[in-house]
Each structure stands twice: as structure tokens, then as C-alpha cells.
Amino acid sequence: MDQKLKFLKDLVEAHGTPGSESEVADVLAGYLKGVGKMSRDRLGSFICEKKGTSAGPRIMLAGHLDEVGFMVKSVSKEGFVRFLPLGGWWGHVVLGQRLIIKTRKGDVLGVVGSKPPHELRDEDRKKVIEIKDMFIDVGATSDWDVKKHLDIRPGDHIVPDSPFAVMANPNLLLAKAWDNRIGCALAAETARRLQRTSHPNTLYCVATVQEEVGLRGAQTSAFKVQPDVGIALDVGIAHDTPGTEGDEKLGGGPLIVVYDATVIPNRGLLDLVMDTAKKLRIGLQFEAVERGGTDAGKIHMTGEGVPSISMGVPSRYIHSHVSIIDRRDFDATVKLLVALVKRLDRRTVERLV
């Protein structure tokens, strides 16, 4: 396994639900050692400052550290765990999944309970069970007291148990948390590629916290960085599977968000991205999202306003216990970002108004 693939594996296998992302930030810090000055904001967002030939403009590349997960709500007297979602989940993808509860004494493995199909009534088969009605089985039995043996408390975080794997098609990578460790990896890899290359600005490689529960870390980290340009890096939704509608596909190249519910991209920055991709002969894909948004939604409203855009790679099955990306999309997006950062000098940025 090459160094970059190992880095991606380490990122997605780290545990980092909203409000508990430090393990993932530590992986980033190890990968970016020697690249630039590292710091955290008061919520925990990670920042690596990579100096170029000029102190400004300040270019912020931001992925988010957190993954969708859960939190312990209560433990019943029989030892079954009730839980809350952290981020957007659909009940269908939660039943029967292995989960890890992060307690102060260590990890506890459990499974979301589900009825066998033999016992389902016809009307039950048509329903989506709500998470509030689900429970996690951590091994409770009449002669083994969960509360006595396990220190599971309300507020403990819960993550999917889903290892990284390279699929039979070696371009495709299967794992939990591509949303949005891949955005963090895009920012980090871009900073590393620029380590021995001149660029007319200062680059801030940022990995924000608590994006999945309201873009919170984007607001605090952008306040700390005070960027002149903001580029949110995230996954988009691939529409190359049965029952979906859209042209976005794995292997189709970088995905540019032309609209979402939180931000309209800066027109000049969008044109610059498209022009840069054309010069590099990199094919682009475009996405419009009517519900939801990315960290650009907070970054672009910092101070007097920040020209911003959201881009990244397509992914299948986001907000579930496992998803798929194409490594070629990652490589193409890094290539585009490196070239884009090199073009963002003071004169170019001043025109993005």
C-alpha cells in the first residue's frame, strides 16, 4: 500500500463524530508534519498554514473532520442502548449495522437490533423505522448486567464499524466517512504538493469540526483565518447507480457545486476554476443541491464577505455506514487545486468581487 493510500485508510478508519474529531485531526497533523505551522481553533478545527511568496491573499481550503454518527441517549434496565443521530440518517440504512460506542473506558461493540423477516407483518414491511425506536445490543443477557460491566453513559459517541477496503475494481475505495475525510485529504495533499513549489499567497489547509450538525467549525475557523478566498472541499452525490437521476458519476472528474441551499458560488471564482480545468484538460462535473450545503455556506459570510466555492469528488451511498469513491477523481481534483492555488495572486483575487 503506497503512502497516499495508507493516509486515506488512516483518515477514514479514525473515529470522529461531530464534537469528537480529535483522533482524525491527529492523523492530519502527522501527514502534514513539516509542511506548515499547525494550530486549532477553540472548537477543535485543525489549521495548517503553508506560506508562499506573499502573506496575502489568504486562501482557505476546507474539508470537515466529522462523520455522521450517533450519541447514546439512555441505557435501559435490561442493558439495551437508545441513541440519537448526529447528522442526517435514513432509518433503512441503520438497522442491523455494527456500531462502536466510545466510552471513557474504551470501545464497546454493538449491533442495531432488527426483527427477522419471518416475524414482520405485511404493514410493517412498508414502514421505515425511526431511529428513536431503535436500540443497540451490546451483549445484554439476563445473567450479564451491562450497567455493571460496561461504563456506557448518555452523551457517549457512537461510530459505524466499517473498515477501509480497495474493491475488485482497484480504482474504487470502500469505507465509512468519505463524507468528509476525502475533503480533508484533498486539502492536505494539495498543501503537500505545494511544499517545494512557489505560490503567490498563503495557503490555509483547514479541517473543520461539526459540519454535519450545522457548519459550526467553518464559522469559527474562518474567523480565525480571515480568508480572502474560500474553497470548501466535500463529497457530492454520484448518480450512476440504479434508481438515481443525474449525470454525476464515479471517475468523471472533480465535482463543482453550482448551487446549494447555503451558498451561491462566486461567479469569478467559478470561471477561474473552469478555465484552469480546461487548461489542464481535466473534465468537470456539476452539481446543484436544493437541500443541504457545505462549509462554504459559513465561510463566504465571514467579515465583509469571502469569494467562495464548493468542490470535491462524487461518492456513492453517503450518510450510511459505507460509501465508495474513485481514486482517479481524488487525484484529478488535487491536480486542479494545485494549479488553482498557483493562479490566486493578489490581482486575481481583487477581481473576485
Side-chain angles (χ1 to χ4, degrees), residues 215-287:
L215 316 182
R216 298 170 187 176
Q219 182 170 343
T220 55
S221 60
F223 179 85
K224 183 177 176 69
V225 170
Q226 291 296 305
D228 298 298
V229 171
I231 303 175
L233 302 171
D234 213 320
V235 295
I237 300 172
H239 291 108
D240 55 355
T241 56
T244 60
E245 297 180 3
D247 298 324
E248 304 91 330
K249 63 182 182 180
L250 300 188
L255 194 64
I256 310 300
V257 181
V258 296
Y259 172 86
D260 71 33
T262 66
V263 65
I264 297 172
N266 176 273
R267 185 70 235 185
L269 187 54
L270 176 60
D271 289 342
L272 184 64
V273 170
M274 294 173 68
D275 180 62
T276 303
K278 184 177 180 179
K279 289 182 186 313
L280 295 173
R281 298 183 178 180
I282 294 174
L284 296 178
Q285 306 185 80
F286 300 95
E287 180 178 58

Side-chain angles (χ1 to χ4, degrees), residues 65-217:
L65 292 165
D66 55 319
E67 62 188 289
V68 291
F70 307 95
M71 177 183 285
V72 173
K73 181 180 180 181
S74 63
V75 182
S76 72
K77 63 180 181 179
E78 296 84 9
F80 295 101
V81 178
R82 297 288 183 177
F83 58 105
L84 303 166
L86 294 177
W89 285 92
W90 187 35
H92 268 309
V93 302
V94 180
L95 284 175
Q97 298 302 331
R98 290 163 59 115
L99 299 174
I100 295 171
I101 302 175
K102 309 290 291 184
T103 79
R104 58 181 172 177
K105 291 185 178 179
D107 292 351
V108 174
L109 180 65
V111 62
V112 181
S114 60
K115 286 184 178 181
H118 316 70
E119 297 184 355
L120 290 175
R121 298 172 298 179
D122 288 343
E123 58 267 29
D124 291 335
R125 294 174 185 270
K126 301 175 184 179
K127 296 178 181 178
V128 176
I129 300 177
E130 296 184 55
I131 291 174
K132 67 180 180 63
D133 297 320
M134 297 180 190
F135 62 87
I136 301 172
D137 187 337
V138 293
T141 60
S142 59
D143 59 350
W144 201 82
D145 190 331
V146 165
K147 291 187 175 182
K148 179 179 178 181
H149 290 89
L150 301 177
D151 189 28
I152 299 174
R153 300 176 301 164
D156 284 344
H157 287 234
I158 307 168
V159 294
D161 180 26
S162 182
F164 169 91
V166 179
M167 301 187 76
N169 176 348
N171 293 316
L172 302 191
L173 308 178
L174 180 78
K176 71 173 182 65
W178 285 129
D179 183 7
N180 181 33
R181 306 292 159 68
I182 199 62
C184 300
L186 287 168
E189 189 65 23
T190 301
R192 279 174 61 102
R193 296 274 183 95
L194 290 166
Q195 194 169 4
R196 295 176 179 83
T197 303
S198 175
H199 54 98
N201 44 49
T202 293
L203 177 67
Y204 291 85
C205 167
V206 179
T208 67
V209 297
Q210 300 188 45
E211 190 269 359
E212 296 290 2
V213 291
L215 316 182
R216 298 170 187 176

Side-chain angles (χ1 to χ4, degrees), residues 3-4 7 26-33 35 185 188-189 192:
Q3 183 186 28
K4 185 165 57 177
F7 169 55
D26 290 343
V27 174
L28 273 178
Y31 194 66
L32 288 170
K33 185 176 181 179
V35 172
E189 189 65 23
R192 279 174 61 102

